[in-house]
Amino acid sequence: MTLQQLTYLVTVAECGNITEAAEQLFISQPSLSNAIHNLEKEMGVTAFVRSNKGVVVTREGEELLSYARMLLEQADIMKEHFGNEEKRVPKFSVSCQHYSFAVNAFVDVINQYNVEKYSFILRETQTGEIIDDVAQGKSELGILYLSEHNEDVLLKLLKKNELIFEELFVANPHVFISKEHPLAKKESLTIEDLRPYPYLVFEQGERNSFYFSEEFLSVLDFPKNIQVRDRATLFNLAIGLNGFTVSSGVLDQKLNGENIIARPLEMNCKMRIGMVRRKNMLLSRYAKAYIEAIKSLGTEFSGFFS
C-alpha cells in the first residue's frame, strides 16, 4: 500500500468514474485500474462495483476510504510540520450544526491564512452527518452540542465511530427572535411565553429524533412547528412569522444583520458546545486556528456563557 494508491482510491470515489479520475490524475486508465485492483487485493476488499455508468463504492469500500482519507490527511500534516518550505495549498474542512459562531470562526481562519490559493470546506449540516463526515475523514472537525438530554446517546455513537468530544464552552440557552417580535422587549423569556409562536427547527432527515436535534427545546411539545434546512430560511421565517428557535445565544450582527436578536431562556439547563474529532489524530494548523477562533468568540460573548 502506498500513499499514491490511496490518492487514486479517493479520487476514483470522488469522480465516480475511472476515466474521469485517470484524466484528473494524469495517468492512463489501465494504470489506474491496475493500481486500484492491487490495493483491493492487498486489503482483501472490493472497494468499487464497476458498471458501464461508472463505479459505486461498496460498504467495505466506504470503510477503506475513511482510512485512506485519514492517512492522506495525516501525511499532509506531517509534510507541513517536518517538510521543507515548499508551498502547499492550505486545506481544511469542518462540519457543524447551524451556528453563526462556527461561520465567524471559519472567516477568521481564512483571513488569518490569506494566501493566493486554499481549499477550505464548511458544511452546515445535520447532526448525524457531522458525525459521519468526521468518522469517514470528509471533515477534520465537527462542531455540535451536548446536553443532559442527548449526551448519553451521542457519546455512545461517537465512541462507536472512534471519535471523541472536546468541550469548547458552555452556553446558557437563548431564544432567537426578530427584533420586531412581540416578545422582543422582554429581557428574558419563558417556555409559556413562547407557546403561541411557531417553533423553528432544523430538519434532521432519517435521524429526526430529539437526540439529534440542534434545538434545545426539542424534548418539549409545542403546538406550532416548522422544519427548515438552512439558517437563512429559519431567520426569514423568524421575521415573517414571529417564529423562534433556541440555541447558544452567540450571534454576531456583523454577519447576521440586526434583524435577529437573542434573549435568555429561563431554564436551568446548559449547552456544552464542543468539537468532534478522531482519536489519536494530529490536527492541522488550520484546525488548531479554527478551535482558537471559536474559543476567542467564547471570550467575546462571555456574557452568554456560564
Side-chain angles (χ1 to χ4, degrees):
M1 179 188 68
T2 66
L3 292 178
Q4 186 179 60
Q5 286 176 308
L6 298 181
T7 300
Y8 290 172
L9 180 79
V10 171
T11 304
V12 170
E14 291 175 349
C15 292
N17 184 285
I18 293 284
T19 302
E20 183 180 336
E23 291 175 355
Q24 186 171 316
L25 293 164
F26 301 104
I27 63 173
S28 68
Q29 182 177 332
S31 296
L32 178 57
S33 296
N34 189 53
I36 295 295
H37 175 73
N38 288 338
L39 179 62
E40 289 177 315
K41 184 177 180 181
E42 182 180 354
M43 294 294 107
V45 303
T46 300
F48 303 109
V49 175
R50 281 87 168 166
S51 72
N52 293 332
K53 295 182 179 180
V55 297
V56 177
V57 182
T58 65
R59 177 170 294 186
E60 57 186 1
E62 286 286 1
E63 186 176 6
L64 181 61
L65 275 166
S66 69
Y67 282 103
R69 291 189 183 103
M70 285 185 247
L71 288 170
L72 290 171
E73 181 181 298
Q74 293 292 283
D76 283 342
I77 293 172
M78 289 179 64
K79 289 176 183 177
E80 194 173 80
H81 185 79
F82 295 104
N84 55 30
E85 297 301 317
E86 174 188 350
K87 282 192 174 182
R88 303 184 187 279
V89 176
K91 293 183 179 179
F92 171 62
S93 59
V94 58
S95 295
C96 61
Q97 292 176 325
H98 297 76
Y99 295 131
S100 59
F101 66 79
V103 180
N104 286 66
F106 193 78
V107 170
D108 290 344
V109 172
I110 290 179
N111 287 333
Q112 181 177 343
Y113 294 96
N114 187 20
V115 294
E116 293 181 359
K117 290 185 178 181
Y118 54 76
S119 179
F120 288 174
I121 301 174
L122 174 63
R123 299 183 179 95
E124 279 193 333
T125 188
Q126 300 167 345
T127 303
E129 290 183 353
I130 293 171
I131 295 172
D132 291 343
D133 285 350
V134 180
Q136 295 169 10
K138 294 179 180 178
S139 287
E140 189 173 353
L141 295 178
I143 303 295
L144 49 74
Y145 89 94
L146 297 181
S147 73
E148 60 184 81
H149 302 297
N150 69 3
E151 64 179 357
D152 286 345
V153 171
L154 292 190
L155 286 176
K156 287 180 182 177
L157 184 58
L158 293 178
K159 184 177 181 180
K160 179 181 177 181
N161 285 278
E162 298 184 341
L163 305 176
I164 57 176
F165 175 87
E166 294 184 6
E167 185 179 296
L168 296 176
F169 60 80
V170 179
N172 297 311
H174 279 63
V175 181
F176 285 179
I177 54 176
S178 163
K179 69 176 182 180
E180 305 297 333
H181 195 284
L183 300 174
K185 293 183 179 180
K186 300 193 69 170
E187 293 186 1
S188 62
L189 301 175
T190 66
I191 299 297
E192 291 307 312
D193 289 333
L194 299 171
R195 287 199 183 278
Y197 303 101
Y199 183 28
L200 309 174
V201 301
F202 287 108
E203 190 265 329
Q204 296 295 325
E206 295 179 357
R207 290 176 276 199
N208 202 28
S209 73
F210 69 83
Y211 296 114
F212 290 89
S213 173
E214 298 181 39
E215 297 74 32
F216 200 74
L217 296 184
S218 293
V219 292
L220 303 179
D221 184 30
F222 283 90
K224 301 176 182 179
N225 292 271
I226 300 176
Q227 296 187 24
V228 300
R229 289 299 301 264
D230 64 85
R231 190 151 38 94
T233 299
L234 185 143
F235 283 173
N236 287 337
L237 292 177
I239 295 170
L241 296 176
N242 283 329
F244 73 93
T245 193
V246 179
S247 190
S248 66
V250 184
L251 189 66
D252 190 342
Q253 292 183 340
K254 293 179 182 178
L255 288 183
N256 296 282
E258 299 180 353
N259 291 323
I260 301 296
I261 59 176
R263 292 290 181 264
L265 178 65
E266 295 179 15
M267 192 175 184
N268 187 26
C269 293
K270 303 292 183 184
M271 299 177 69
R272 296 172 51 215
I273 295 174
M275 66 172 177
V276 173
R277 65 180 182 87
R278 297 184 294 275
K279 287 183 179 180
N280 305 318
M281 300 293 284
L282 297 172
L283 291 178
S284 69
R285 66 177 66 179
Y286 315 109
K288 292 177 181 177
Y290 185 75
I291 293 166
E292 290 305 312
I294 289 183
K295 289 181 178 178
S296 295
L297 288 169
T299 301
E300 181 180 347
F301 289 89
S302 59
F304 292 117
F305 307 146
S306 62

